[in-house]
Amino acid sequence: MTRRQHDVCRFLLFQQFGEQVSVVGKYLLQKSPSPLHLISSETHLDTEQVKKILCILIQQNIVTFGQHKRGFIEYSIRTGEILNRLWFPKYIYCAKTLYGDAAELLLEDVLQRGQVQMSKVIEVVMQRFNEALETSGKQKISESFVVDKFSNLVRTHFLQRCLDPIKSESNKVVGLEVTGEEETLYRLPDLSRKRKKSHDDGPPAKRSKSERPADDEGDGIFWRVNNERFHQMFRDQAIVQAISSKIDRSAGEVLRAMLRVSEVKTAGMATVTTPISVTEIFNALPKDLMARPLLETYLSLICDDSTNFLSKVGDSGGGMYSINIYEALAQLVKAHIESVVQERFGSKCLRIFRVLLLKKHLEQKQIEDFVMISAKEAKDLLYTLFSENFITTTEISKTPDHAPSRTFYLFTVNIQHVASMVLNRCYKALYNAMVKKETEVNEHRRLLDKQERMEAIAASVEDASQRDEILNTITPSEQEQIIKVRRTIQMLDHSELQICEGIFILEMYLMYFKQRQKDKS
Amino acid sequence: MAGRGRGRGKNVSFNVEALGFGRGEALPGPISQPPPLFPTADFKPVPFQQSEEYDYMLALKQEFLGNMRKSPFFLQASHKRKDIERYSDKYQAAAEVNGKWKPDWRRLPAELKPRVRKKTKSSIKPSVKVKSKVKLSVEDVSKTLEELEKKEVDQGDEEEEEEEEGGKKKEEGEVEEEEDEIYDEEDIEEETDYILSYFDNGEEYGNDDDDADEGPVY
């Protein structure tokens, strides 16, 4: 966790939950597992207020708790959960493209409340969706339609159950269960039970044995969004998109089919998918997209490509292929960093950078020769890159005294190092954009408020001349300024979204890099 | 120190040419100040990627943030300046009540529950009650009176004072009980405010557009 990430986390909390929450968040970011009384005394907030804040943060899956071995309860913050909030718009959009508008509303509601019960969220979505349909004059939908969407999302693991609380002997909640089986997280409750309850009381649900929940408390099963599943989805999308723009769309489809097949078989964080035979790929492809010989050609084409996304691992079953996810992400990150170098330092620097990526270790003299730029300029560019930490040197001394005159200085690019540096800059840029947006809004709050109020009043007035009069209270110069501010905010929001795209690829790559290190050792 | 032996006049110990500086070329001067806060960019940033996808996500992002700020999870700063009473105040308060959220205590540690004052008060009660019960037994009234008459004869004035004290205590007890009742009512009110009367039929959900004075949605 770097300082930049901390800043972003703090700001996100401030933006979405208010100032006091960000104060508690800041404290927890620094000293993560802490008991309640410490938090309230260190943050100088009222204990009751801190309790409320912790409840909110637990509800939003940001804080978890567990029992210390001395018996008190400790609260710890999950920074990943806060940073995931950056991608919420993307999650919602993803749900929309996969399952339509009802799923979009569903996901929006789940994300907003953090943990929800199925019956409640369905009720809310039903109402909202039907209202929207009514205004556009379309047919209403039934409850089973929304229930269907919900179960679809659960079945594809986009939604999962929240962890059940562990209770102590005195029936107090002391922590959250650690589930052994993954399957239980995605088990839907028996939907027919609700109907049974109405005429005979039926067998009590598993959890309600100790305390019968009142009707408005629901079934006690809470659902949340499964972030990892979404990230996996985005990762696959990025890989497919990369190959489709490099070769063509059909190649992308082949890869997509492979990823879909391997999804079920491969463990969550495996750097290489399990081998899949050509037959399996062929069966998974949409029908009449391509004939089998063409598929085999495509597979060998992707294998031979310099990107190393795919590799042939066996000949059984018409040929076994597996996708190297780590390699694919590394290629994406390289492309990302290359474009950063190009846009920041120009194409000549990019040439130096590429030469170093290709040849790994080079002496200064060799670089000057390889890039075919005049020695003086090359030297200048090389040291610019060096001072910005995009390249590093390795000293190899001929003698043990490391005297400079008897030492080779080899320049090299360490992709993992550069990736984490660029990532850090992304977070910094993101934080700056967010802060700038906030100040921009605060500076012009009076003006924006006024406009909004006027519009609200104008909307309620029916007489046209009166409405014009009201709208004219905003002077032309004010109008101009409002437009300017709105444009700035729009731009900053846009930049936030697009920085997030970059952050996603970099984060993914670094995660897989760590995983690979772990696998190796 | 190390440069003392060889290169006279030079302040580095090694051959500068190894770094790529030509013979007679001047070394760059020392840098004694931090880099500028806003360095001039040599290259202009590239324009944003424009696509419908991004536009839609932008709208989603702004809507989500707007909803988040209206939701009960967004805590307003409690020390709001109350300079003058405004006409709009009561409507704003109503809007806040709309979005009450009730935590599910089955899933949260008990220590996070807002404290209810009732428990601390009840611990004082018993000692008072026991006394008053003894006094109130109706059948014994005649007996006690008789006994008291006897005692009065025996001990005289001292006993009378004690009797008076007892009476006082009883009165105090009653007053305290009354106070307790008042507190209890308050507590119940608070509780209902927070839990029992909470009912969200979802009608308010989504149509938050009316409360325009919540702050801008951008």
Side-chain angles (χ1 to χ4, degrees), chain A residues 224-272:
Chain A
R224 49 167 294 183
V225 169
N226 183 5
N227 301 316
E228 280 90 46
R229 180 69 183 85
F230 273 104
H231 293 175
Q232 204 186 348
M233 171 93 192
F234 299 153
R235 181 202 73 193
D236 293 353
Q237 271 176 355
I239 293 173
V240 169
Q241 211 182 355
I243 216 73
S244 357
S245 58
K246 180 141 196 209
I247 300 173
D248 70 355
R249 278 201 48 195
S250 315
E253 284 304 316
V254 171
L255 219 58
R256 194 193 298 277
M258 286 187 75
L259 283 164
R260 210 179 305 130
V261 173
S262 69
E263 216 166 66
V264 198
K265 297 179 174 176
T266 315
M269 278 296 290
T271 49
V272 181

Side-chain angles (χ1 to χ4, degrees), chain A residues 14-18 20-21 36 48-49 51-56 58-60 65 73 75 85 88-90 92-93 96 104 108-109 111-113 115 117 124 127-128 162-165 167 173 207 211 213 216-217 220 222 343-346 364 379 383 404 437-438 441 445 448-449 452 456 486 489-491 493-498 501, chain B residues 13-15 18-22 25 42-58 60-69 71-79 101-115 194-195 198-203 205-207 210-218:
Chain A
F14 168 73
Q15 206 178 28
Q16 302 191 353
F17 303 106
Q20 287 180 322
V21 179
L36 174 65
E48 293 299 312
Q49 196 68 12
K51 284 179 188 174
K52 206 170 163 191
I53 289 168
L54 284 175
C55 284
I56 288 173
I58 292 171
Q59 170 82 16
Q60 295 284 347
F65 50 91
I73 291 174
Y75 300 88
R85 302 185 89 77
F88 278 8
K90 216 175 163 184
I92 300 172
Y93 185 74
K96 185 193 164 73
E104 179 192 351
E108 215 174 345
D109 201 63
L111 285 174
Q112 202 157 46
R113 294 178 191 216
Q115 307 179 345
Q117 299 188 65
V124 169
Q127 205 136 16
R128 278 183 66 188
C162 297
L163 298 177
D164 279 336
K167 296 203 169 154
V173 180
R207 281 177 44 85
E211 35 176 331
D216 68 315
E217 278 192 351
F222 281 78
E343 296 308 327
R344 273 181 70 94
F345 307 108
Q364 187 183 312
K379 208 186 306 163
Y383 280 97
K437 196 177 74 187
E438 193 69 16
V441 171
R445 185 173 290 284
L448 293 170
D449 275 357
E452 206 158 297
R486 289 217 181 272
I489 291 170
Q490 205 81 0
M491 287 281 275
D493 259 334
H494 245 304
S495 61
E496 274 176 38
L497 272 180
Q498 304 204 352
E501 295 284 314
Chain B
S13 62
F14 54 91
N15 187 8
L19 279 180
F21 287 99
E25 229 174 317
D42 295 336
F43 297 91
K44 282 274 171 236
V46 278
F48 293 128
Q49 281 175 15
Q50 292 291 346
S51 71
E52 249 177 62
E53 191 186 325
Y54 278 118
D55 288 341
Y56 194 78
M57 277 207 275
L58 185 72
L60 279 176
K61 182 182 158 81
Q62 291 176 343
E63 193 193 332
F64 184 80
L65 192 62
N67 282 341
M68 214 55 217
R69 293 207 167 181
S71 77
F73 303 116
F74 187 81
L75 289 185
Q76 297 283 352
S78 53
H79 49 271
W101 160 72
K102 182 204 74 180
D104 192 310
W105 295 116
R106 288 175 294 181
R107 303 183 49 83
L108 295 169
E111 65 172 12
L112 290 185
K113 272 191 191 181
R115 193 176 299 153
Y194 204 62
I195 297 170
Y198 171 81
F199 173 65
D200 188 3
N201 56 4
E203 274 182 0
Y205 196 86
N207 57 353
D210 341 19
D211 37 11
D213 25 26
E214 267 296 328
V217 186
Y218 48 83

Side-chain angles (χ1 to χ4, degrees), chain A residues 208-223:
Chain A
S208 58
K209 269 175 197 159
S210 48
E211 35 176 331
R212 290 194 79 92
D215 230 20
D216 68 315
E217 278 192 351
D219 53 6
I221 301 171
F222 281 78
W223 299 89

